[in-house]
Amino acid sequence: MMWCVKHSDGIWSLRVPMRDRALGYSLAYLITDDAGALHVVDPGTGSDSNELLLTDMVRSLGFRVHDIASITLTHYHPDHAGLANRLREATDALVALHAADVIAEHDIRRPEQRRSWARRYGRWGVPMEARAQLLETVSQRGARPALAVDLEIADGDVLPISGRRIVVVHLPGHSPGSIALRDDDLKLVMIGDHVLPTIYPAIGLGAAASSNPVRDYLRSLEKVAALDDHEVLPGHEETFRGLARRCVATAEHHLRRTREIASYASEPARTPWEMAQRLSWKGGWDSLTGMRLASALQQVVFHSRYLATAEGRDAVASGL
């Protein structure tokens, strides 16, 4: 297996192992600048072995660990951002994250989160045994170390990488502050988990209870599809081309869920738990546990909320 791939002059990717065996690894990106420094995008899951892997990679490229000047996160999820604190402490590098994900990352550790989710799961009809399992995932999320963020970035910002013009593209949906990083000179876009070559990211992880992540995500797909002439460097799997086509396929995948929920609209009102049990899931309903179960329930709520809007009804009716 090739753990390191060179994509362009001064840009490499590194496969960083993660705990999710199905995905296997995330992709960290290393970028040189014209001042002799190195910059990291999405360093990956935090562990001693991953820190050693990344530092060995840095040295193999002829750099020292202290040459790392910045760490940019496409979103705050731990399989992409978990190593950021360790790397920042070892290098004094600046850590950058979109402002919306700074808020989302802070919110998961608020003391009242467990009580809030307990009430929410009660309204959603979750049985007590399953509710206890789901609340344990809430506690685990809340126990993560806080991310140390030095720079809150926004749509249109240019990363502080000397000699390169890498622009932030805000793409809410997978998380509130998900971003892509666009290099128009090299025709590359580092897209995080927003669009992946063969699998489909979950929507709304870390979203506020009042938000509409399905709408946000579908609009973000339309926005980033304009970069179809760019090579896509994703957060998992492999580099690919044909971004516009993949955006269409990804939108259709998620709208199938909306249409599936719409097909039950004429039946008596059901709780999200009852509805989720009737829907199709990869591996089947009984395979869903922990974070996967929590995400499935949220998807039902988000898609139902989207279906209740004129935009959602139009999308379902048009068969897009």
Side-chain angles (χ1 to χ4, degrees), residues 117 119-126 271-274 297-298 301:
W117 278 102
R119 291 192 294 270
R120 198 169 293 142
Y121 288 141
R123 293 195 304 271
W124 293 357
V126 179
T271 64
W273 177 264
E274 291 172 328
L297 281 171
Q298 285 184 272
V301 173

Side-chain angles (χ1 to χ4, degrees), residues 218-240:
L218 294 174
R219 291 179 181 180
S220 292
L221 286 174
E222 292 181 357
K223 177 180 179 179
V224 80
L227 300 178
D228 190 51
D229 60 343
H230 286 48
E231 184 178 13
V232 185
L233 279 56
H236 300 277
E237 300 189 294
E238 307 291 343
T239 301
F240 68 98

Side-chain angles (χ1 to χ4, degrees), residues 10 23 50 52 65 147 175 193 211 217 227 237 242 254 265 296:
L23 285 173
N50 282 350
L52 180 61
V65 174
L147 274 175
S175 76
D193 282 359
S211 67
Y217 185 71
L227 300 178
E237 300 189 294
H254 287 289

Side-chain angles (χ1 to χ4, degrees), residues 61-75:
L61 296 176
F63 292 88
R64 301 167 303 159
V65 174
H66 284 281
D67 291 329
I68 297 174
S70 75
I71 303 160
T72 302
L73 307 174
T74 63
H75 57 298

Side-chain angles (χ1 to χ4, degrees), residues 200-203 212-219 221-222 246-264 279-280 299-300 302-320:
Y200 301 100
I203 293 175
N212 194 326
V214 177
R215 177 203 62 202
D216 293 344
Y217 185 71
L218 294 174
R219 291 179 181 180
L221 286 174
E222 292 181 357
R246 187 60 185 162
C247 285
V248 170
T250 301
E252 171 58 25
H253 169 83
H254 287 289
L255 283 171
R256 278 198 295 272
R257 177 70 71 206
T258 308
R259 289 196 290 270
E260 192 177 15
I261 290 172
S263 69
Y264 296 113
L279 303 179
S280 56
Q299 304 310 300
V300 171
F302 294 151
H303 282 277
S304 298
R305 190 177 296 156
Y306 181 61
L307 184 60
T309 67
E311 183 177 327
R313 291 191 296 272
D314 288 345
V316 168
S318 66
L320 293 177

Side-chain angles (χ1 to χ4, degrees), residues 127-179:
M128 291 302 297
E129 182 178 347
R131 202 180 306 177
Q133 178 194 139
L134 290 168
L135 289 174
E136 182 57 29
T137 69
V138 173
S139 296
Q140 290 170 2
R141 290 197 302 266
R144 293 176 193 161
L147 274 175
V149 177
D150 305 289
L151 177 64
E152 295 186 12
I153 51 181
D155 189 64
D157 286 351
V158 178
L159 294 188
I161 301 178
S162 177
R164 296 185 187 270
R165 191 173 191 277
I166 298 179
V167 180
V168 174
V169 183
H170 184 209
L171 300 171
H174 179 60
S175 76
S178 285
I179 61 168

